């Protein structure tokens, strides 16, 4: 399994099939994701994640987003160690927004 994808790779995948996104940003930074129909976004602030693992499904693959992607890379390793299937989206929501701006 590829543990990281670029924003472009993520967008191509999300256009083909529903994806499960785990948005790890703090509430004051959360805005909406414009994903394909059927995709699901779960918001759990990064600082709360270790105490809320029970809300996640080990049978799903989650695409992780933070503001700039650095903290999601670290959290991806933590979640894999806990038995979850996760993929870090390089550059986070900042790169996601920039992708649409170009």
């Amino acid at each position: 399994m590829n543990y990281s994808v670029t924003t472009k790779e993520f967008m191509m995948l999300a256009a083909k099939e529903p994806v499960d996104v785990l948005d790890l940003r703090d509430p004051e930074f959360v805005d909406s994701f414009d994903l394909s129909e059927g995709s699901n976004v779960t918001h759990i602030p990064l600082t709360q994640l270790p105490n809320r693992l029970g809300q996640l499904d080990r049978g799903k693959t989650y695409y992780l987003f933070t503001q700039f992607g650095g903290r999601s890379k670290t959290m991806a390793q933590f979640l894999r160690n806990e038995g979850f299937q996760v993929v870090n989206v390089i550059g986070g929501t900042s790169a996601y927004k920039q992708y649409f701006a170009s």
Side-chain angles (χ1 to χ4, degrees), residues 2 5 24 29 48 52 64 70 81 99:
N2 190 357
V5 294
L24 299 172
F29 295 108
Q48 296 177 16
R52 295 175 61 183
L64 305 184
N81 290 342
Y99 178 84

Side-chain angles (χ1 to χ4, degrees), residues 5-21 33-41 61 63 65 87 89 96 99-100:
V5 294
T6 64
T7 301
K8 183 177 181 180
E9 291 168 328
F10 170 78
M11 294 306 300
M12 289 178 6
L13 177 65
K16 292 179 187 175
E17 61 188 52
V19 294
D20 290 291
V21 169
F33 278 97
D34 184 22
L35 295 174
S36 61
E37 190 174 321
S39 294
N40 182 38
V41 179
T61 297
Y63 291 83
F65 277 88
V87 178
V89 180
Y96 179 86
Y99 178 84
F100 282 107

Side-chain angles (χ1 to χ4, degrees), residues 21-27 30 41-57 62 64-66 71 75 79:
V21 169
L22 182 54
D23 185 347
L24 299 172
R25 296 174 294 160
D26 290 330
V30 173
V41 179
T42 302
H43 299 279
I44 300 178
L46 184 119
T47 56
Q48 296 177 16
L49 187 60
N51 296 323
R52 295 175 61 183
L53 293 178
Q55 293 178 244
L56 301 176
D57 182 346
Y62 291 98
L64 305 184
F65 277 88
T66 54
R71 297 185 310 158
M75 213 43 143
L79 288 168

Side-chain angles (χ1 to χ4, degrees), residues 56-94:
L56 301 176
D57 182 346
R58 283 185 168 81
K60 294 182 178 181
T61 297
Y62 291 98
Y63 291 83
L64 305 184
F65 277 88
T66 54
Q67 190 70 25
F68 300 105
R71 297 185 310 158
S72 60
K73 183 178 179 181
T74 301
M75 213 43 143
Q77 184 60 50
F78 167 76
L79 288 168
R80 279 192 292 276
N81 290 342
E82 294 293 322
F84 292 95
Q85 299 173 60
V86 295
V87 178
N88 176 49
V89 180
I90 299 167
T93 58
S94 178

